[in-house]
Amino acid sequence: MSKTILITGAAGFLGSHLCDRFISEGFKVLGMDNFITGDKDNIQHLFDHQNFHFIEHDVTVHIDIDEPIDYILHFASPASPIDYLKIPIQTLKVGSLGTHNLLGLAKSKKARILIASTSEVYGDPLVHPQSEDYFGNVNSIGPRGVYDEAKRFQEAITMAYHRFHGLETRIARIFNTYGPRMRLNDGRVIPAFMGQALRGEDLSVFGEGTQTRSFCYVDDLVEGIYRLLFSDYSNPVNLGNPDEITIIEFANEILKLTNSDQKIIFKSLPEDDPLKRQPDITLAKKLLNWSTKISRKEGMKMTFNYFQNLSDEKLTKIDHKDFSKHIKQ
Ligand code: NAD
Ligand code: UDP
């Protein structure tokens, strides 16, 4: 009989790709989401699949599932700075109360759980590249603190369930990942630049653009998550593409890729925006025999192709999703 996996954040960017992967591997997938930052269109193609079941639910509220569950992937959480600045309390709740609910569910079902942590646990890092033994440099009371501290709490409670209850847990520290199904207006740098290029606007570089990021294509990340879930390692593992680039160089690459003649304009750097970020993936290579396969050039091409084919409605410039109908902070 096929194994059952619960995936939270199923209607989001990463969650929807994970649903596809586990369906294609023959799992029964229970997708859970409250659509606060997600989009039904990301999973519309799965609704008729006999192995896919969708549950609309806010994971910060007690979760009741009657059937057996073998695995849980907890990916529900706002993930873009615009989103978590707009819904800071929901962000803290989904990382803390939501994670507590899912760990409790995993314990009662004797399921293995993998949680989506982030490179943001390293904050504005003083060690470069970042390896798993670095404790980080996070401003708990700054604007990004709501996300960073929720994720740090998430790691702490997950390790507590592992140590105290013997729960089978996995922690993925995910570095900037991109690809089709990102929300064009979620404010993250790739959809932001591609949306600007498509609308014929200038590209907005924050600060002087000397800050760096390392961008991982979604298919590589999904493969890493898959391997980590089936590994026997319970401490955190970095997953990301070590190919680092400054934001200004990246903006120039996007102008070239999109064949745009727009300019780059400079805007102020958001508070606590990390100056550099690059994963050390030595552990993932050794443990999971995993490394990234898709170059930035290839990945950006596939992503731009996706954005180019979006409906006009999704291309229009809306800075924020309307969260009001979802929120009881
Ligand atoms: P996303 O916003 O596209 O997806 C998040 C999904 O979670 C959305 O569908 C949203 O509606 C859902 N959600 C949020 N709160 C919820 C709640 N209380 N109950 C039920 N559903 C809820 O973001 P993403 O980029 O797909 O990120 C997914 C996960 O991966 C997040 O946990 C994020 O922190 C983590 N992550 C992502 C990246 C990245 O670069 N994409 C990097 C590091 C970590
Ligand atoms: N950024 C930018 N212009 C934008 C959006 C983002 O220059 O329109 C910068 C941002 O300041 C950061 C980097 O791009 O240094 C990556 O930002 P993103 O929001 O994608 O992710 P994060 O800061 O969480 O890594």
Side-chain angles (χ1 to χ4, degrees):
M1 222 180 62
S2 59
K3 298 272 187 195
T4 299
I5 185 164
L6 169 68
I7 302 182
T8 74
F13 161 52
L14 294 180
S16 64
H17 285 279
L18 286 161
C19 289
D20 286 346
R21 173 67 187 261
F22 280 86
I23 285 285
S24 77
E25 299 283 350
F27 284 75
K28 176 173 179 189
V29 174
L30 308 179
M32 182 173 284
D33 207 293
N34 67 350
F35 299 116
I36 193 164
T37 60
D39 187 343
K40 209 175 248 173
D41 287 351
N42 289 339
I43 43 171
Q44 196 65 49
H45 60 287
L46 291 175
F47 281 120
D48 287 338
H49 197 289
Q50 56 168 5
N51 279 346
F52 183 74
H53 298 267
F54 184 74
I55 308 160
E56 183 167 351
H57 184 73
D58 177 345
V59 300
T60 67
V61 177
H62 182 80
I63 305 166
D64 260 329
I65 292 181
D66 288 338
E67 60 188 293
I69 297 176
D70 302 291
Y71 302 100
I72 297 175
L73 298 181
H74 178 29
F75 275 67
S77 169
S80 99
I82 281 190
D83 289 348
Y84 58 76
L85 294 181
K86 192 142 196 219
I87 42 171
I89 298 168
Q90 275 294 340
T91 302
L92 280 157
K93 282 169 72 177
V94 73
S96 53
L97 308 182
T99 304
H100 185 216
N101 285 338
L102 286 151
L103 288 164
L105 181 68
K107 182 167 151 267
S108 74
K109 300 286 182 187
K110 297 187 171 48
R112 181 182 298 178
I113 179 168
L114 181 151
I115 61 148
S117 187
T118 165
S119 53
E120 283 282 315
V121 300
Y122 302 123
D124 189 6
L126 305 175
V127 164
H128 196 70
Q130 295 78 55
S131 52
E132 289 85 351
D133 54 4
Y134 178 48
F135 295 160
N137 177 36
V138 170
N139 176 7
S140 61
I141 58 167
R144 296 174 85 105
V146 296
Y147 182 66
D148 301 6
E149 294 298 356
K151 291 293 184 176
R152 288 167 70 95
F153 175 87
Q154 185 184 46
E155 289 196 359
I157 193 172
T158 299
M159 288 309 293
Y161 266 74
H162 173 67
R163 293 196 181 106
F164 190 75
H165 291 304
L167 192 69
E168 283 208 51
T169 56
R170 307 287 179 264
I171 299 176
R173 286 192 182 148
I174 303 167
F175 284 65
N176 297 62
T177 300
Y178 68 96
R181 303 189 193 155
M182 291 186 97
R183 225 170 69 234
L184 192 65
N185 303 309
D186 83 357
R188 287 186 272 193
V189 67
I190 290 165
F193 286 175
M194 290 191 176
Q196 287 161 342
L198 284 168
R199 292 187 300 265
E201 299 164 7
D202 293 333
L203 268 55
S204 56
V205 166
F206 297 162
E208 291 171 10
T210 50
Q211 70 274 31
T212 69
R213 293 296 185 272
S214 307
F215 298 113
C216 180
Y217 188 67
V218 60
D219 292 0
D220 281 334
L221 194 270
V222 165
E223 181 63 30
I225 298 289
Y226 193 84
R227 292 185 189 205
L228 179 59
L229 179 66
F230 297 110
S231 75
D232 58 4
Y233 190 77
S234 47
N235 282 334
V237 179
N238 285 343
L239 294 174
N241 188 327
D243 187 6
E244 187 184 13
I245 185 168
T246 63
I247 294 301
I248 186 82
E249 278 178 86
F250 181 60
N252 280 308
E253 279 190 4
I254 298 289
L255 287 178
K256 208 162 149 196
L257 166 75
T258 57
N259 210 5
S260 314
D261 48 17
Q262 284 100 271
K263 299 191 299 297
I264 289 173
I265 51 168
F266 294 90
K267 296 202 170 168
S268 52
L269 189 67
E271 195 178 333
D272 293 334
D273 196 295
L275 289 181
K276 43 187 184 298
R277 192 182 279 158
Q278 184 188 32
D280 177 335
I281 57 164
T282 311
L283 178 63
K285 277 185 180 161
K286 197 166 130 210
L287 191 71
L288 312 174
N289 190 23
W290 173 89
S291 60
T292 54
K293 302 269 180 287
I294 297 161
S295 68
R296 193 169 56 246
K297 195 170 176 188
E298 286 173 276
M300 291 299 162
K301 233 191 239 169
M302 292 189 272
T303 307
F304 186 58
N305 187 41
Y306 166 80
F307 284 131
Q308 262 182 319
N309 289 306
L310 284 181
S311 64
D312 284 351
E313 188 203 349
K314 290 198 175 177
L315 258 189
T316 48
K317 189 181 174 192
I318 315 158
D319 278 332
H320 303 291
K321 196 178 158 84
D322 174 17
F323 294 116
S324 54
K325 59 181 177 292
H326 300 285
I327 303 171
K328 230 196 291 143
Q329 293 247 1

